[in-house]
Amino acid sequence: MPATHHLLLCPSSAPIPLSLLGLEMSAAVGSFTALVPQPATRRRVAWATRCSVAGSVAAASPILKNLHLKCATPLPVLRHIADAMAADMRAGLAADGASDLKMILSYVDSLPTGNEKGLFYALDLGGTNFRVLRVQLGGKDNRVVDTEFEQVSIPQELMHGSTEELFDFIASGLARFVAKEGEKFRLPQGRKREIGFTFSFPVKQTSIDSGILIKWTKGFAVSGTAGKDVVACLNEALKRQGMDMRVSALVNDAVGTLAGARYWDDDVMVAVILGTGTNACYIEHMDAIPKLQDLTTGSGKTIINTEWGAFSTGLPLTEFDKDMDKESINPGEQIFEKTISGMYLGEIVRRVLLKMAEVSALFGDYVPDKLSVPFVLRTPDLCAMHQDDSEDLEAVDLILNDTVGVTRSSPDARKIVAEVCDTIVKRGGRLAGAGIVGILQKMEQDSKGLIFGKRTVVAMDGGLYEHYPQYRKYLKESVTELLGSEASKNVIIEHTKDGSGIGAALLAAINSKYSTEV
Ligand code: ADP
Ligand code: MG
């Protein structure tokens, strides 16, 4: 087993947001200030709809029934989604702009072999977190000799600030991490430290080490980055920090995960991210990409980044999804992402509960003010409520109290809340599963026997997949329903912990400007 040293303060890949600890980080001075707790305030439900607590639960049930109906994903719906995903992938490969799916060329056409050697860094900008990692690669026999990483949550204000502020924050985090490099890590003399930069937003890749941001997603609205080369932005910030490092590979998180998982297992063909946002990539034959007329690679294969978060065909959507989309900073975009990924599941549930509180007095005579605050209910809260198997759903009561200011909920109301969570999470997991089958179907249609009838691994990463057991279960059930129990035995859906970080470092090694023989 390789030695692993996590410098991380909290044990899981999902940090405890500072706001939950009652702390907020000020980007300018890097200090922490305590948030003053706000007194819980509530407003009265309109008198016409006011009713007793017992009656209110019955009144919420038509809303719940309708939600079940609208979110239902029976097999024919799943089939339709899987087929549409395959068709949209084909259209996106045929011509730019012909599909919701951009099917972006990753410029990764050699995958890790295990022979990679040396010290490499990875830097990962996701939606919630920013991670830095270093790894000492020891070649075929020694593999990962040592690795260390750190993780920082991205302060809210930087998500709406300037390009320079965001990249300076990243570069200074990296500089602090590099300063702590110990003797276990060895950089040969005369070499610069090389970085694999995982940037998990839609980028039009122009080479393995450059790419232009198409648009921000996942709630980011940083000014001045769209249309710019994100590697150039990072290099400028590194220069401002006085750091002499080289970005050798710019990779998407899904691409990094595929490369990282493939390092250990040759049967990995697809990688899927389910975290704040969602994306998927897979290994494609160059001759199956009509929009690339004359680009060839040695291996004849490349990784395609589908940017599947933008998929939208035939999704079972509700009024709550549509309203959330309308009020988002990117209306009409990233509809699949808004239906299945971690940033949005909690918010959809909040909207349903708000309607139930307002229209049918789910929580009695009052609607807590906090329930009207967008994104106040987060997916980890749903997850915690979903784990509650106590008879009276006491954890549900506690979380409702803490997060949305419901001071008293009846056991029946809590059951309804739990059902709402289950309905939204079930739809998300099942649709994600159908998307995966869509990709596998497309690969199998092009090369018979490539996927089915042999072992095929789908590498999974992201906080939602990692931490939400019910979501994982629904996803797997949907894949099994679609493929049938025999065929699905050969399709291994597997979590790759830290895959994208190590993957980016491996891709930096493969694309190093130096020989990796040290
Ligand atoms: P990113 O790389 O985009 O920052 P991560 O892969 O770290 O994202 O995943 C973070 C996301 O995972 C959070 O935004 C949240 O939606 C989801 N998540 C984290 N912890 C949990 C949990 N316990 N249960 C459910 N979802 C979680
Ligand atoms: Mg990520």
Side-chain angles (χ1 to χ4, degrees), residues 13-14 126-129 131 218 275-276 342-343 379-380 383 462-464 467-468:
S13 81
T128 310
N129 304 307
R131 297 181 188 88
K218 300 182 274 190
T276 310
M343 175 166 172
T379 303
C383 180
L464 174 63
H467 299 296
Y468 210 141

Side-chain angles (χ1 to χ4, degrees), residues 339-380:
T339 319
I340 71 167
S341 82
M343 175 166 172
Y344 302 99
L345 297 177
E347 172 62 5
I348 302 168
V349 169
R350 181 196 67 84
R351 286 171 177 270
V352 178
L353 298 186
L354 180 62
K355 177 162 181 183
M356 288 177 163
E358 285 177 346
V359 174
S360 57
L362 178 67
F363 303 120
D365 280 0
Y366 291 91
V367 180
D369 279 355
K370 248 174 126 182
L371 192 55
S372 303
V373 178
F375 293 96
V376 70
L377 189 64
R378 298 156 53 257
T379 303

Side-chain angles (χ1 to χ4, degrees), residues 121 123 170-179 192-193 195 234-246:
Y121 275 77
L123 199 160
I170 295 167
S172 66
L174 179 62
R176 280 195 302 277
F177 183 63
V178 171
K192 290 184 184 184
R193 288 178 179 80
I195 316 171
L234 177 62
N235 280 334
E236 285 160 25
L238 289 172
K239 220 185 269 167
R240 287 194 289 273
Q241 291 290 325
M243 304 266 297
D244 194 16
M245 293 179 84
R246 178 178 184 272

